[in-house]
Amino acid sequence: MSSVSATIQNVFNEPACPKNAAKSEKERKKGCTKQLQPGGAAGGCAFDGAKIALQPITDVAHLVHGPIACEGNSWDNRGAYSSGSTLYRTGFTTDINETDVVFGGEKRLYKAIKEIIEKYNPPSVFVYQTCVPAMIGDDIDAVCKAATKKFGTPIVPVNSPGFVGPKNLGNKLAGEALLAHVIGTEEPDYTTPYDVNIIGEYNLAGEMWQVEPLLKEIGFRILSCISGDAKYHEVARAHRARATMMVCSKAMINITRKLEDLYGIPYFEGSFYGIGDMSDSIRQLAQLCIDRGAPPEFMDRAEAVIAREEKLAWDEIMSYLPRLKGKKVLLITGGVKSWSVVAALQEVGMEIVGTSVKKSTKEDKERIKELMGEDAHAFDDMSPREMYKMLRDAKADIMLSGGRSQFIALKANMPWLDINQERHHAYSGYKGMVDLVKEIDKALYNPIWNQVRTIAPWSNPADSWQAKADAEAAREAAELAADPAKAEAKRRARKICNCKTIDLGTIEDAILASTLTTVEQVVETTHAGSGCTGCRGKIGDILADLAAKAGGPVVELTPEEAEARRRSKKICNCKEVTLGTIEDVVRAERLTTVAEVTAATDAGSGCTGCCEDIEEILDAIVAPAEELTAIAAE
Amino acid sequence: MAVIQTSNKACTVNPLKMSQPIGGALAFMGIKDSMPLFHGSQGCTSFGLVLFVRHFKEAIPLQTTAMSEVATVLGGYENVEQAIVNISNKQRARLIGICSTGVTETKGDDVDSYIKLVRQQHPELDGISLVYVSTPDFKDSFQDGWEKTVVKIIETLVKAPEPDVVRDPKKLVVLPGCHYTPGDLDELRDIIEGFGFEALFLPDLAASLDGHIPDDFTPTTLGGISLEDIAGLGNASHAIALSPHMLPAAQALEKKAGVPFKLFERMIGLLPTDAFIKHLMEISGRDVPVKFKRQRSQLVDAMLDGHFHTGGKKIAVGLEPDFLMDLSSFLVDMGCHISVAVSTNAQPVLEKVPTESVLIGDLEDLERMAPGCDLLITHAHGRQASERLHIPLYRMFLPIFDRLGAGHITTVGYRGARDRIFEIANTFIANSHVAKPDTWYPHPGEETAHGVHSTAH
Ligand code: SF4
């Protein structure tokens, strides 16, 4: 075990992780893993993460040392595609039994390796450690070493027993295994100035094939992809590349950084999701090659391909824009892809009403904030019930998520699209973006939604689950009305500052306790408003409200003055747009959606924190107007 | 009588077997307001969850005590306690079904005494039922996990009736084995109710995992037999156990509440269904409803039409022991040969599989022995072998993650058998070998220049 803990400490020390650099020594030792909640969590284990990261290496035999639970319940269930060998889809496990638990499983492991080599003769066997053999002290490093020597085939120990942490950690431990045992062990036949590594891309549903042909056309040679559609020998030669692109956030940052440290290979972090990101990634990769000796004209070739592909993609996507623009997407995605998907959806004018970042790193969360603005709800631990409520309230038109939460959406009769590991569609690059848009359109406009939302001929509308859910909401509201203490608690719990998660009650208490009078003082004392500053307007309101309550200076205003003051209220702090301006535009141009208002006034284009306010304004103006029209029509 | 053989490989390749705790968890999923809880590391739960989600295409309730490496060493009392408290508060479960895993069994956590301690420390949880089953991953298989769990549920939750209890003549308890789908249970309910009984299934997956749209949305099971119904099973007049592995459960119910039972080892096909119907006639004293008479003659007709295609076909089957025995017997009743039989762990029932030998092994073994067969029958993981061998795969049991409607595949009753015959025969028809100029001559080995001789016959 000591070697595992040493590796883990090593991973936690990752200097290239900016989050990490800011931590104290002690904090760092704790690692980036949140303590799990018994009875409130169900993510994958470190072993799962390691397997996800390495299994896409197609010609390797992936042998899981452990009881049947680890491999038997999960094998061949990941969607990484191969252009050649299918050995990676074969499930190998030692399936240890009671006797092994008592006497140790090392002998069985050794024999298993031998059998695999005799029957399948792979270029390498990767041996995954799991919890039970780790507990009984099976030393897989030693077994692998002995087997390597005996059979002359590299046997790679992957030390990531599930209980050391979550999937994210497993990804990194997988990287450590490659660094320690694979990368740098072989030399390529020749090298070129265009040799690159793509790290963190798993070729799910064949996504790499939406990217690779373009890179090849431009003239790149992908020396090594870790690990989508990779072959063992390619991975072993990764250290001779000129540049590295790190896909998928920080999951494999350790490999990337050590390639830089040890072999001087520069890297950048990019994404193949979304047209803009795809083009940027190509440019950056080309630039890194040019910096290291490729001719500057290389960029022209890259630009030519980019221009051609962008035009093709946009032409196709444009035909969908009128149908998708302004549609709201609830994004629930486990892990590292959240922000890539956000970028992609914004390109087609869709609004993101939320994203779950349960399994993403803090870094991912920062990216999401940057892209979506501060008020995007980052639903950290959204329960199914809340998810359902949110969908019911029709705040979203479609939900994008991983396989597990789809049923909530579907049962609420909401369009849904799979964007996680097990999905069957590829969404990378230009073609992938077009496909994603097509799929969203297909899901949204499928005629079944109107049919499945009808109630059975024998049912009473009041008995439908929709009615019941509404009744429950009404009951909750009534309860609050009847119980002032509860209502007050709820009022005080309203979150004001999303960056620092500070609620109304805390701010009010601070104002009253230290008799604060200015927004700046409140920011100083409570740290609310010290992040994106989007909530400073709200803090001003709170101050004013409290002052009014305290019987402060009450000035009698004439109706005109009152109206002018009302209209001068700043709605969008980023772009300094007032209530009056928005109201006027909405009335004059008969706008109905937040997106239209943003287009017309710029309000909501900054941190997007005011989108809800804009929606309220719209409701206030549009709803009565619609009613009038309806009455007039009768 | 089949000989049971065990493969002596050190490395299992393409596992057929799934772990015991997930069998236990599935049993808990057939109970209303329940939350299955794995005492172990979070990964085991996550894998189980994904497996069921992909099979049933439903939200699946399954929780974990989230044992970290440190907790594993120190023992898991605190994790068990916290999990129970959290699940009761947050998810409002009324039953928490705890299954141990390899990790906690290796450490030797004494969960029974943990539960006693939780009971002492948390009187506020008195209304919550707790059932614990020991299900180490490194022993036994899916079917065993299910079996042990149903026994434990009966022992813990069924109330022993008063000695002079008047049994409800209409109340019939059904104890289904782990391989019956929600569709099977619905079919059985239909039949049993046809004889005027009220059928109470323990567990009842038809009420929880049949894909219905729930009225209320809960993180626990969406339906299933209620705890009240389980407590009251003791005054039933009859119990029926379906599949050999449900014998211990039936015995437990008899011991606790004196409910007499009858075990049906086989349920698939004409004669097994006849026996089942006959039993219902006897205990109800009623005649058979007309619709079952018609269904029976439909099945007979299906057998007559189907036997042309099923007769003489060679089949490779890989399933858990009880289902292997029942399904193989049905196929043999239709004239097929079971050329290859692979199962997960040695059980006496395997001796009754109508074939020469049953191998305790994996899908690599099945693939190795299957060339020359006309059909593979196993769960969806047989797809790779099917592709490589160019032999069609008929998906049965679980997981079936690459086809829809897994929960509704029905094998029991006259209708179930009828539909299976049609489907299997259709598979043969779709893959039948038509005669070619070189089908009969030249003799094999003489002159093969005209192409490769079909090896499938
Ligand atoms: S948590 Fe441990 S025992 Fe469970 S699946 Fe992961 S590695 Fe296997």
Side-chain angles (χ1 to χ4, degrees), chain B residues 116-400:
Chain B
K116 278 202 198 105
L117 206 55
V118 170
R119 287 292 190 206
Q120 282 167 19
Q121 303 279 320
H122 296 277
E124 80 277 10
L125 300 181
D126 278 354
I128 310 261
S129 303
L130 302 172
V131 175
Y132 165 66
V133 199
S134 163
T135 48
D137 299 304
F138 43 76
K139 247 175 86 173
D140 301 340
S141 180
F142 189 91
Q143 178 184 303
D144 307 277
W146 172 283
E147 170 186 325
K148 291 173 196 174
T149 301
V150 180
V151 170
K152 259 307 188 65
I153 291 170
I154 291 173
E155 288 173 353
T156 322
L157 300 180
V158 174
K159 273 217 215 75
E162 302 297 324
D164 55 347
V165 67
V166 185
R167 294 192 178 276
D168 183 344
K170 294 268 164 271
K171 198 160 165 183
L172 187 148
V173 183
V174 186
L175 303 167
C178 68
H179 52 276
Y180 296 103
T181 64
D184 284 327
L185 302 194
D186 277 339
E187 183 68 18
L188 291 168
R189 196 186 318 267
D190 210 34
I191 295 173
I192 294 166
E193 285 175 357
F195 289 87
F197 289 110
E198 180 204 0
L200 289 163
F201 288 78
L202 175 69
D204 192 352
L205 293 180
S208 56
L209 286 170
D210 64 336
H212 67 284
I213 314 270
D215 265 357
D216 186 23
F217 208 88
T218 71
T220 58
T221 43
L222 299 180
I225 183 169
S226 71
L227 291 172
E228 288 72 21
D229 280 344
I230 297 177
L233 289 182
N235 72 350
S237 297
H238 314 275
I240 294 179
L242 309 180
S243 279
H245 70 282
M246 296 315 281
L247 180 62
Q251 287 168 333
L253 186 63
E254 186 178 47
K255 189 168 162 219
K256 181 126 191 200
V259 184
F261 70 88
K262 182 162 170 71
L263 171 71
F264 290 88
E265 297 210 334
R266 281 193 54 194
M267 285 299 290
I268 313 174
L270 183 69
L271 300 184
T273 309
D274 280 350
F276 184 68
I277 298 268
K278 186 159 167 268
H279 178 69
L280 291 174
M281 285 167 68
E282 280 167 16
I283 59 173
S284 69
R286 290 200 190 188
D287 198 10
V288 183
V290 183
K291 63 173 175 180
F292 299 138
K293 294 182 182 167
R294 293 185 46 220
Q295 287 171 10
R296 186 180 193 278
S297 67
Q298 289 171 7
L299 170 56
V300 170
D301 192 48
M303 292 168 73
L304 293 171
D305 293 344
H307 85 284
F308 295 111
H309 305 283
T310 53
K313 290 292 191 296
K314 290 179 240 146
I315 303 191
V317 195
L319 289 170
E320 297 263 334
D322 284 13
F323 198 20
L324 178 71
M325 185 276 290
D326 197 1
L327 195 69
S328 302
S329 305
F330 167 62
L331 293 163
V332 167
D333 288 347
M334 284 303 298
C336 301
H337 297 296
I338 304 301
S339 307
V340 180
V342 180
S343 195
T344 50
N345 52 337
Q347 299 270 8
V349 67
L350 292 174
E351 292 174 358
K352 299 185 186 168
V353 178
T355 183
E356 273 152 36
S357 72
V358 179
L359 181 70
I360 307 305
D362 52 36
L363 293 178
E364 183 195 50
D365 297 319
L366 182 115
E367 185 173 347
R368 177 175 48 79
M369 299 186 291
C373 285
D374 300 291
L375 186 69
L376 310 180
I377 299 182
T378 183
H379 49 54
H381 282 303
R383 62 184 178 166
Q384 288 190 41
S386 167
E387 270 168 43
R388 282 188 285 260
L389 298 173
H390 303 290
I391 299 173
L393 168 67
Y394 193 67
R395 291 165 174 78
M396 275 288 181
F397 196 55
L398 95 194
I400 299 178

Side-chain angles (χ1 to χ4, degrees), chain A residues 291-565:
Chain A
D291 293 347
R292 302 203 61 209
E297 298 82 56
F298 191 51
M299 191 57 92
D300 302 338
R301 289 171 47 193
E303 289 294 353
V305 171
I306 289 172
R308 185 193 70 206
E309 291 297 318
E310 278 198 353
K311 180 167 182 333
L312 281 174
W314 277 119
D315 285 353
E316 248 191 287
I317 285 173
M318 274 330 224
S319 59
Y320 291 95
L321 268 177
R323 287 159 67 88
L324 296 182
K325 191 170 179 212
K327 294 281 183 204
K328 289 181 188 162
V329 182
L330 174 64
L331 187 66
I332 311 272
T333 167
V336 289
K337 280 204 196 70
S338 299
W339 58 266
S340 330
V341 175
V342 169
L345 296 178
Q346 288 187 333
E347 284 187 21
V348 287
M350 300 189 77
E351 268 178 52
I352 316 289
V353 292
T355 185
S356 147
V357 278
K358 199 169 197 163
K359 269 168 278 170
S360 305
T361 61
K362 273 272 160 56
E363 276 283 280
D364 286 330
K365 294 183 196 179
E366 293 304 319
R367 300 291 297 244
I368 292 168
K369 273 187 196 165
E370 205 179 285
L371 280 162
M372 302 183 23
E374 194 44 49
D375 219 23
H377 316 253
F379 300 106
D380 216 339
D381 286 295
M382 201 175 190
S383 75
R385 188 179 285 272
E386 289 160 341
M387 232 186 262
Y388 164 70
K389 228 184 195 163
M390 164 133 195
L391 287 163
R392 184 205 63 201
D393 294 349
K395 279 190 182 155
D397 296 301
I398 184 169
M399 174 161 141
L400 271 58
S401 72
R404 289 183 211 169
S405 36
Q406 67 169 294
F407 309 105
I408 296 154
L410 293 180
K411 297 238 158 167
N413 293 333
M414 269 293 161
W416 176 83
L417 201 67
D418 190 359
I419 48 160
N420 256 22
Q421 304 264 359
E422 305 93 8
R423 69 176 183 275
H424 301 289
H425 290 283
Y427 297 134
S428 263
Y430 305 104
K431 289 257 197 283
M433 193 58 220
V434 174
D435 284 349
L436 177 67
V437 172
K438 262 189 213 160
E439 289 299 321
I440 290 178
D441 185 77
K442 249 189 348 202
L444 263 174
Y445 286 97
N446 193 302
I448 67 153
W449 301 118
N450 285 333
Q451 299 164 58
V452 297
R453 283 171 191 157
T454 58
I455 52 167
W458 55 84
S459 298
N460 181 346
D463 292 337
S464 70
W465 61 260
Q466 291 96 331
K468 280 190 187 155
D470 288 343
E472 193 185 326
R475 194 181 46 74
E476 257 173 39
E479 229 178 77
L480 287 180
D483 184 348
K486 224 184 202 171
E488 171 67 3
K490 183 156 186 189
R491 186 189 70 84
R492 285 173 52 91
R494 185 163 73 100
K495 219 189 284 165
I496 300 296
C497 175
N498 284 307
C499 308
K500 309 281 161 183
T501 30
I502 294 164
D503 62 18
L504 178 60
T506 314
I507 296 177
E508 284 186 348
D509 292 348
I511 293 173
L512 294 176
S514 330
T515 47
L516 309 175
T517 51
T518 68
V519 174
E520 283 66 33
Q521 286 171 341
V522 177
V523 174
E524 181 107 322
T525 324
T526 64
H527 298 295
S530 63
C532 74
T533 71
C535 62
R536 290 189 176 199
K538 286 187 220 158
I539 297 176
D541 289 347
I542 299 170
L543 279 166
D545 283 354
L546 284 181
K549 261 194 221 147
V554 182
V555 192
E556 279 294 322
L557 298 175
T558 66
E560 291 78 24
E561 277 172 344
E563 174 64 4
R565 179 168 286 199

Side-chain angles (χ1 to χ4, degrees), chain A residues 1 37-39 41 43-44 73 75-76 89-91 93 95 98 115 119-120 135 163 385 407 411 468, chain B residues 10-14 19 41-42 46 51 57-58 63-64 69 82 86 139 212 215 217 364 381 383-384:
Chain A
M1 282 312 300
Q37 258 242 334
N73 297 347
W75 67 286
D76 193 19
R89 282 180 62 199
T90 304
T93 176
D95 183 10
E98 253 181 320
E115 285 174 14
K119 277 191 281 194
Y120 295 90
M135 285 172 78
F163 58 20
R385 188 179 285 272
F407 309 105
K411 297 238 158 167
K468 280 190 187 155
Chain B
C11 183
T12 295
V13 184
N14 294 340
S19 75
S41 301
Q42 61 161 345
S46 164
L51 182 119
K57 315 235 175 326
E58 293 289 329
Q63 268 300 342
T64 172
E69 189 178 5
Q82 257 189 57
N86 278 341
K139 247 175 86 173
H212 67 284
D215 265 357
F217 208 88
E364 183 195 50
H381 282 303
R383 62 184 178 166
Q384 288 190 41

Side-chain angles (χ1 to χ4, degrees), chain A residues 238-271:
Chain A
H239 62 299
R240 291 297 177 221
R242 294 301 176 98
T244 297
M245 168 168 169
M246 182 172 73
V247 191
C248 239
S249 193
K250 303 263 181 276
M252 284 207 161
I253 191 170
N254 48 345
I255 300 193
T256 317
R257 190 188 49 74
K258 280 181 193 160
L259 282 174
E260 183 178 51
D261 274 8
L262 300 172
Y263 306 102
I265 307 173
Y267 71 89
F268 75 99
E269 185 185 343
S271 162

Side-chain angles (χ1 to χ4, degrees), chain A residues 1 4-5 8 35-48 63 67-78 86 89-98 101 107-109 111-113 115-116 119-120 131-132 135-136 161-167 383-385 388 403-404 406-408 410-413 422 424 463-465 468-469 472, chain B residues 8-22 37 41-51 53-54 56-60 62-70 72-73 78-80 82-84 86-87 90-92 102-104 106-107 137-140 211-219 222 363-364 379 381-384 387-388 401:
Chain A
M1 282 312 300
V4 187
S5 16
I8 293 172
Q35 207 48 49
L36 290 167
Q37 258 242 334
C45 59
F47 153 68
D48 194 5
L63 168 60
I68 196 69
C70 311
E71 179 73 351
N73 297 347
S74 74
W75 67 286
D76 193 19
N77 74 357
R78 301 182 179 96
T86 56
R89 282 180 62 199
T90 304
F92 295 102
T93 176
T94 49
D95 183 10
I96 58 169
N97 57 32
E98 253 181 320
V101 173
K107 277 215 187 75
R108 177 183 287 273
L109 174 60
K111 262 184 75 188
I113 296 169
E115 285 174 14
I116 291 172
K119 277 191 281 194
Y120 295 90
C131 303
V132 172
M135 285 172 78
I136 60 176
F163 58 20
V164 299
K167 269 193 208 173
S383 75
R385 188 179 285 272
Y388 164 70
R404 289 183 211 169
Q406 67 169 294
F407 309 105
I408 296 154
L410 293 180
K411 297 238 158 167
N413 293 333
E422 305 93 8
H424 301 289
D463 292 337
S464 70
W465 61 260
K468 280 190 187 155
E472 193 185 326
Chain B
N8 57 0
K9 298 191 293 191
C11 183
T12 295
V13 184
N14 294 340
L16 171 67
K17 187 166 70 169
M18 285 164 294
S19 75
Q20 198 174 196
I22 64 170
L37 169 68
S41 301
Q42 61 161 345
C44 314
T45 308
S46 164
F47 284 144
L49 198 69
V50 171
L51 182 119
V53 164
R54 299 202 335 148
F56 288 108
K57 315 235 175 326
E58 293 289 329
I60 294 293
L62 188 57
Q63 268 300 342
T64 172
T65 56
M67 296 287 286
S68 65
E69 189 178 5
V70 179
T72 309
V73 177
E78 266 152 36
N79 289 56
V80 171
Q82 257 189 57
I84 291 174
N86 278 341
I87 294 170
K90 250 170 102 180
Q91 314 180 342
R92 299 192 201 143
V103 173
T104 51
T106 303
K107 166 67 174 49
D137 299 304
F138 43 76
K139 247 175 86 173
D140 301 340
H212 67 284
I213 314 270
D215 265 357
D216 186 23
F217 208 88
T218 71
L222 299 180
L363 293 178
E364 183 195 50
H379 49 54
H381 282 303
R383 62 184 178 166
Q384 288 190 41
E387 270 168 43
R388 282 188 285 260
F401 45 75

